Amino acid sequence: MSDPVRTNRHEGAPKTAPRSAAPEEPPEEPPPKASGETQGKVSECLPEHAPDTAPEVVQMRPGRMPRSWRTETKPHPFCPGCGHGIILRALGEAIDDLGIAARTVYGCDIGCSLLSWNLFNLDTVQTHHGRTIPVIVGIKRARPDLVGIAYMGDGGAYAIGAQHLVSAAIRNEKITVIVCNNTVYAMTGGQLAPTTLSGQKTTTTPYGRDPLETGLPVSGPELVTCIRTEGVYAARGTVANFRQLKLFIKRALENQMAGRGLSFVEALSTCPTNWRTGPKETWRFLEHEMGKVFRIGEFSRDEAEGKAEGQERREGRLSSPAEAGIPRGGNEGARANH
Amino acid sequence: MRVVEREQRRFMTGNEVVARAALAAGADMMCGYPITPQNEIMHTWAVLAREHGLGFLQTEDELSAGFATIGAVMAGRKAFSATAGPGNVLMQEPISMAEMMRIPAVWIIQQRGGPSTATVIYSQQEVRLTCLGGNGEGHRIVYSTSSHQDLFDYTIKAFSTAWRTRFPTFVLGDGYQGKMLEALTLYNPEDRGVPLATPEPFVGKPGTPGLDRPPAHFRNTFSIEDELYEALTRNIRDYEEMAPSVVEFEKDGCEDAEVVLVAHGIVARAAREAAEVLRARGIRAGYFRPITLRPFPAAALADAVRRADRLLVVESAHGQLAGLVREALYGRAAVNVRTYLRPGVGITAEEIVDAVEREASSGEERHGSKTATG
């Protein structure tokens, strides 16, 4: 299982060539040797880690992978211009900065996120579509000392696995959920996703998404903070702002490590393959079209605090109906009125 | 975990028995979702978990219950879940992942009527689903219990088998067994020398991955057909190798039997009684009960019916056990396979005796070629 077999959708591509990267992503270091020749000491393959001395410079050092990345499985298999690599780099650097590689368990979903099953030097479970949250919940509840990360796409988080996200928020699971929002189902061929923009053409909305028929794009962090705020960390970043995205992810991990509650980060991302866009148009869609619909920032505490009435009830301080003087199985309002 | 001071007789419901057996087997985590008729397993476990400091999580659905169980197992727990009917349908998704990734976990299935919501009470209609559900080859181990003592013994055994073989393992009961009160002997497995498995974590082992040890990378998705074929070939080989050590059955009076009654689960009790009554009335009847429905005791059944003229499959389903029997006997035994099928309802010994006598008195029924596919 630990054998670094590559999952490569581009079998035809020469394995030793550096992959062409998105314009916003500096080119990565070519793999040290052809795969299979790097079976020696793992530490020899690791790049030297430079200390973060220049905070003003975007911390994407060309040629430097995060220490928590597995060099043997690079270059990663994502398409040129895909945002997954940027999000996972931000996650990798956040893990490095926090020094938690030894106690992190990473879970990835079905969809393009599954291609990260051997991307990290982290214990990893690749699960089913939408089911990464419950797997990580099981791991975290069994081993609260571990840091559990559930990484998935917008379809996994907001459609097929929506009940798990909602319930993780209700129970305030002490895990970190990171969602890549690229407005489409990418691996299956660019279908309508819960996050598809109004009017956006996809393979299943060939004439554009009609909100009357298929609704409006869902807002993940807003959804999470509607359910619960206390202890929750929720934020939305973008691959267009790496430093901020990394900061959000880092805070989300810290929130989990402090045992406060659910940590949730959505990252606006790109899918030029399914958007059928060139570099310029890809960037414009991310920055302008998606930026108009999805608000970047942190959504937790300050924003939601004190907003809702009856917060005490919502935070579950009434431990049981019996203790609160409510008949078992009853609804207090209904009983009071009858 | 010692469940009793010393061996003792108790009178309790089957669902409570299961929870206590799981405790005795060293289980330390349960994830579940309410569905009748297994609820009292969760109720009992919720109390036991608090008393003994063990894990319990009521999830949002069976998908989550199954996947959280797998997560807990991967983190080193001896975890289990319990479900029934439509819950078993949903549970097939996480079970298929456990099957592919060779995650040992125990599922208790208390069968209810089907298809759909049907009844909350009883049936034997989840045989196919439990044995062969999922989009694969059905690499599972299924113990079918027929008494409360069975529920206790085989729940304990299921944990040992699952962790020894790394195939998902089931205890297949039903609502009658789950809800009924019956006497049994509770014991601590260690007092009887029953071996218990020690779980190992799959993830979160000591050391930094990539520095002190290779990272543990688990996947269920393969890029190309040959990769999958390789993984499946490994699983098939392992399954076939372990099957003889797992397969179990019970039989009585088959040596000289003209008719062998084949039944599993709670119906096997009626079949056994019916065989005795028939013998007393001059019909040489035998009795065969597969305890493991998967792997199925095919060779043992073929041997048991060697001298028989016919066998009668009796089940509270419309041919699910009969299908397993026909498959097992095809090419192995020349015997007429007849059925007494009562989908979704219980079966008494009297009904089985009647069915055999009716058939015996009708000459036509006994004509026809001797074939296992009859």
Side-chain angles (χ1 to χ4, degrees), chain A residues 5-17:
Chain A
V5 179
R6 298 196 52 227
T7 304
N8 195 337
R9 292 186 302 153
H10 314 280
E11 282 297 309
K15 297 221 167 129
T16 46

Side-chain angles (χ1 to χ4, degrees), chain A residues 250-270:
Chain A
K250 208 165 156 181
R251 284 184 179 159
L253 292 170
E254 284 169 341
N255 193 59
Q256 176 185 175
M257 288 155 66
R260 296 190 75 240
L262 181 68
S263 318
F264 182 88
V265 178
E266 181 187 282
L268 300 186
S269 186
T270 50

Side-chain angles (χ1 to χ4, degrees), chain B residues 247-292:
Chain B
V247 79
E248 281 190 47
F249 61 93
E250 194 177 85
K251 65 174 179 175
D252 194 26
C254 293
E255 300 72 25
D256 65 339
E258 55 187 292
V259 55
V260 174
L261 306 176
V262 182
H264 78 98
I266 202 165
V267 176
R269 292 165 70 158
R272 177 165 221 162
E273 194 186 323
E276 284 168 21
V277 173
L278 287 165
R279 286 240 168 212
R281 294 187 190 176
I283 296 177
R284 294 193 316 280
Y287 150 85
F288 186 93
R289 170 196 166 206
I291 294 173
T292 48

Side-chain angles (χ1 to χ4, degrees), chain A residues 1-2 5 7 42 70 102 117-118 120-124 126 128 131 134-135 138-139 141-143 163-164 167 171, chain B residues 57 60-61 63-64 67-68 71-72 75 77 93 97 203-204 208-210 213 215-221 223 227:
Chain A
M1 309 266 175
S2 58
V5 179
T7 304
V42 171
R70 187 162 179 79
W117 76 278
N118 62 359
F120 288 104
N121 261 329
L122 299 172
D123 286 355
T124 301
Q126 175 260 313
H128 281 193
R131 315 299 174 217
V135 171
I139 290 172
R141 286 199 173 236
R143 286 278 306 275
Q163 75 272 38
H164 307 311
S167 299
R171 295 193 301 261
Chain B
L57 177 62
E60 59 273 22
D61 57 22
L63 297 165
S64 185
F67 282 105
R77 294 286 191 120
E93 192 194 326
M97 187 169 105
V203 294
T208 303
R213 61 175 175 89
H217 285 158
F218 291 94
R219 62 167 171 168
N220 54 68
T221 310
S223 306
E227 279 182 302

